[in-house]
Amino acid sequence: MSGEEARHRAESSEARAAAVSDIQELMRRKEEIEAQIKANYDVLESQKGIGMNEPLVDCEGYPRADVDLYQVRTARHNIICLQNDHKAVMKQVEEALHQLHARDKEKQARDMAEAREEAMSRSLGSNSPVLPQAFAKVNSISPGSPASIAGLQVDDEIVEFGSVNTQNFQSLQNVGNVVQHSEGKPLNVTVIRRGEKQHLRLTPRRWAGKGLLGCNIIPLQR
């Protein structure tokens, strides 16, 4: 990591910490407002259970004498103002959380891009060859068979068998057709063995065992 990248990462970390601190402060403010709203509702409850909408005059239109009108009006006014404050704080919390999530998403994308670049650099630096994809695998070989004589081994992954390769392989019948039409003729066979590519020459022919190869091949899932 370069000095510039390290500085940028440190600044990003500080900015995130500041954003989290701001959100925590907003949440504390929200809880304070909610506590104040509850306290004012408790005042209303203490006044004969009166709420925000009950009338403050009696049936004859005179101010009610059974409640403290000043306390009720003050509590109602406070509740309305506090509810507006609560709505404003919640909007600030929502915006701050959205910005924090956007910052985290951007950081995650940047980290993934850096990881890919590092992986590519390591791959290029190691000069490791990119191996072709295999389409079949050898899972058994009979001793003394043409396959054994050619040097095929169990677990060899086949990437080319005569004219059959990963691009045109559809089923083992493709390999069978090549074998049937190549009896007595050498075929170029390319396999991957323990992470390395091997080139062999295999001649299908009659021998003491069954078939023209003396090995069993199974397709690989692609």
Side-chain angles (χ1 to χ4, degrees):
M1 182 187 302
S2 67
E4 181 66 21
E5 290 173 340
R7 185 183 64 80
H8 182 75
R9 189 180 292 271
E11 290 177 351
S12 178
S13 179
E14 290 175 2
R16 188 184 190 283
V20 171
S21 178
D22 290 344
I23 291 171
Q24 291 173 340
E25 181 60 35
L26 287 170
M27 294 302 292
R28 282 193 292 270
R29 175 63 180 149
K30 165 185 167 292
E31 292 170 1
E32 289 175 1
I33 293 173
E34 289 171 350
Q36 292 174 24
I37 290 174
K38 181 181 183 303
N40 281 275
Y41 268 115
D42 288 343
V43 171
L44 294 181
E45 183 65 26
S46 70
Q47 297 294 318
K48 305 294 184 182
I50 198 167
M52 292 291 292
N53 302 310
E54 284 78 8
L56 299 181
V57 295
D58 58 22
C59 59
E60 296 179 356
Y62 292 102
R64 290 177 57 174
D66 59 335
V67 296
D68 186 327
L69 297 180
Y70 176 78
Q71 277 196 344
V72 171
R73 289 194 179 103
T74 300
R76 285 180 172 179
H77 174 75
N78 289 343
I79 288 172
I80 292 171
C81 292
L82 288 166
Q83 286 176 336
N84 289 334
D85 291 345
H86 187 269
K87 187 180 297 183
V89 168
M90 289 305 297
K91 184 176 181 180
Q92 288 179 285
V93 170
E94 182 180 355
E95 290 175 352
L97 286 172
H98 178 74
Q99 292 175 1
L100 181 63
H101 291 161
R103 182 180 287 110
D104 286 346
K105 191 173 182 180
E106 180 183 347
K107 180 180 180 299
Q108 183 181 18
R110 187 167 59 248
D111 289 346
M112 290 181 64
E114 289 176 358
R116 282 196 297 267
E117 288 178 6
E118 185 176 353
M120 289 180 64
S121 296
R122 288 179 178 176
S123 176
L124 293 173
S126 63
N127 293 321
S128 299
V130 178
L131 296 173
Q133 186 178 12
F135 62 83
K137 179 179 180 180
V138 179
N139 69 343
S140 68
I141 295 179
S142 300
S145 64
S148 176
I149 294 171
L152 269 181
Q153 296 181 11
V154 173
D155 290 334
D156 280 353
E157 295 185 353
I158 301 173
V159 298
E160 182 183 11
F161 194 100
S163 60
V164 181
N165 54 45
T166 304
Q167 281 69 39
N168 60 25
F169 175 78
Q170 295 178 337
S171 70
L172 290 179
Q173 185 61 44
N174 301 133
V175 176
N177 291 338
V178 170
V179 171
Q180 292 298 324
H181 289 89
S182 302
E183 184 176 353
K185 302 174 185 176
L187 293 171
N188 291 319
V189 178
T190 304
V191 301
I192 297 174
R193 179 182 302 163
R194 291 186 290 277
E196 295 183 357
K197 192 158 60 171
Q198 305 281 340
H199 299 283
L200 308 173
R201 296 276 283 179
L202 171 59
T203 302
R205 60 179 177 79
R206 303 286 177 181
W207 65 293
K210 293 182 179 180
L212 300 177
L213 298 180
C215 68
N216 190 51
I217 297 172
I218 57 174
L220 290 177
Q221 296 294 330
R222 291 189 291 173

